[in-house]
Amino acid sequence: PALATHSLGPPPPLMPLPTGIETPAKGPSVSYAQQVAEAKALASTSLDGALQNLLSHEKTARLAADVGGTTELVKAMVSLCYDAKDWDKLNETIVLLSKRRAQLKQAVTAMVQQASTYLDELAEARKLSLIETLRNVSEGKMYVEVERARLTRILAGMQEATGDVEAARKTMQDTVVETLGGMDKREKTDFILEQIRLCLEVKDFIRANIVAKKIQTKTFKDPELDDLKIRYYSMIVRYQLHNKKWMEVFRAYQATWDSPSVQGSDAAADRCLKQQVLYLVLSKYDNEQSDQMHALQKEKRLPQLPPYDSPLKA
């Protein structure tokens, strides 16, 4: 006999799961212009009092997720310290604000960017102190990675200026810029080139080669990056001269031959062509060398450069 079937009907509606603590809705941005103006007036006699007043307003804005208000107050507090030329208080305030509970990313970003503009005006020791503060505050925070990378480069430049090239190399080596979305192609490439250069300066050829591989040579098809292309291949020449790989040195010079800065200067073109001839002749004889010599011999400029045209005819 056939089995009886029973309709179970539609399933009951699912009950919503408990969500725990609800996140407060983001409130409208509030202007704190009056409070900031009052704090500026008070700061002339009591910087600490002015900062404390703004901190209470900052807490209100921050916990209400008021991005505009929090950013306005954070920037105001940084400005008060700067205007008072109280550099220790500036560093303390930056650290304090960055560690406030549920601090907003936009506020931290604005604070780091604003404080970075003060660096050029500071004496060496104060500049170093502020850089270290900003680098510590931005460490591990993806939303200020670009700012931290720029601060790192400034710090490395200062270290190299004092003669400590190894310290500059160490400062730069762990910064990864190739994945940063806020950096354009020129700035990224320029940063990596600086990393390569510092490795070469301290004769860390292994690391220089590793870092150089981060650069995709197709990047240099952009004529706007011609100066970076020349810098890149000049470093490849330094690296391959160390390895005594003459064919690689030839290839590096060959890669710059079509560069606008080379073709636009008779002196640069003559030097590049001479270097190609020299290192191609020094290379081990094989099919590639033979093919390259025949190709190079066809360069119209070569007959104007005796005796560099002679080896290719041999």
Side-chain angles (χ1 to χ4, degrees):
L3 295 176
T5 59
H6 301 279
S7 174
L8 299 179
L14 296 175
M15 297 297 292
L17 295 174
T19 58
I21 301 175
E22 294 186 2
T23 303
K26 179 180 176 181
S29 183
V30 177
S31 172
Y32 290 89
Q34 181 179 344
Q35 291 86 342
V36 170
E38 293 171 353
K40 287 182 178 179
L42 178 59
S44 60
T45 56
S46 175
L47 176 60
D48 286 338
L51 292 174
Q52 286 301 319
N53 289 347
L54 290 184
L55 279 171
S56 64
H57 296 301
E58 183 271 342
K59 179 179 179 180
T60 301
R62 170 168 42 86
L63 296 182
D66 180 354
V67 174
T70 307
T71 300
E72 179 186 10
L73 291 163
V74 164
K75 292 175 67 176
M77 283 183 269
V78 170
S79 294
L80 288 179
C81 297
Y82 170 75
D83 293 339
K85 307 303 178 188
D86 191 334
W87 310 117
D88 291 337
K89 182 62 70 174
L90 174 62
N91 288 318
E92 292 172 12
T93 301
I94 290 171
V95 173
L96 171 66
L97 290 170
S98 70
K99 292 183 177 180
R100 302 274 275 184
R101 181 168 66 90
Q103 186 57 275
L104 304 178
K105 296 177 180 180
Q106 296 90 332
V108 175
T109 301
M111 177 175 64
V112 171
Q113 290 175 343
Q114 179 167 330
S116 296
T117 64
Y118 304 152
L119 292 172
D120 290 340
E121 305 174 35
L122 301 181
E124 192 84 358
R126 289 172 178 167
K127 185 175 182 178
L128 280 171
S129 178
L130 182 54
I131 287 175
E132 287 299 339
T133 295
L134 294 174
R135 290 182 76 240
N136 290 336
V137 163
S138 57
E139 185 174 8
K141 296 181 175 68
M142 294 183 64
Y143 51 91
V144 280
E145 281 184 327
V146 172
E147 287 78 9
R148 191 172 196 276
R150 290 167 180 161
L151 291 165
T152 297
R153 180 153 187 186
I154 294 172
L155 176 59
M158 294 176 67
Q159 291 169 330
E160 186 178 14
T162 64
D164 197 346
V165 184
E166 176 59 23
R169 182 195 67 79
K170 288 181 178 178
T171 296
M172 290 281 286
Q173 74 177 18
D174 293 328
T175 302
V176 179
V177 298
E178 50 268 32
T179 58
L180 297 185
M183 257 190 194
D184 62 26
K185 185 164 52 175
R186 166 172 282 278
E187 188 174 4
K188 286 181 185 179
T189 305
D190 184 55
F191 194 100
I192 297 172
L193 288 175
E194 185 66 5
Q195 290 177 316
I196 300 170
R197 185 188 68 79
L198 289 170
C199 289
L200 292 173
E201 291 295 331
V202 298
K203 302 188 185 307
D204 189 346
F205 295 102
I206 294 176
R207 192 180 299 275
N209 184 43
I210 293 172
V211 178
K213 290 179 179 178
K214 294 181 179 181
I215 294 180
Q216 298 181 339
T217 54
K218 65 181 181 181
T219 300
F220 299 126
K221 291 181 180 179
D222 183 351
E224 296 295 323
L225 303 181
D226 184 60
D227 57 319
L228 301 184
K229 175 181 178 179
I230 298 298
R231 280 175 56 199
Y232 170 76
Y233 282 109
S234 69
M235 294 180 199
I236 296 300
V237 166
R238 287 180 64 182
Y239 173 73
Q240 297 299 356
L241 285 174
H242 166 75
N243 293 331
K244 295 182 171 59
K245 293 187 176 181
W246 314 128
M247 179 58 78
E248 296 300 330
V249 176
F250 160 75
R251 287 177 182 152
Y253 281 114
Q254 185 186 48
T256 66
W257 179 241
D258 62 349
S259 297
S261 58
V262 173
Q263 292 299 319
S265 165
D266 288 341
D270 288 348
R271 181 181 181 278
C272 183
L273 194 52
K274 289 176 181 179
Q275 297 298 324
Q276 289 184 64
V277 172
L278 177 61
Y279 288 103
L280 185 57
V281 170
L282 287 174
S283 300
K284 178 183 176 182
Y285 177 77
D286 56 18
N287 289 338
E288 181 183 7
Q289 192 226 31
S290 178
D291 292 343
Q292 292 290 1
M293 289 185 77
H294 285 299
L296 194 58
Q297 197 172 5
K298 297 177 183 177
E299 284 292 345
K300 297 179 180 179
R301 196 180 191 91
L302 195 58
Q304 305 171 26
L305 302 174
Y308 286 88
D309 59 336
S310 301
L312 302 181
K313 298 177 183 177

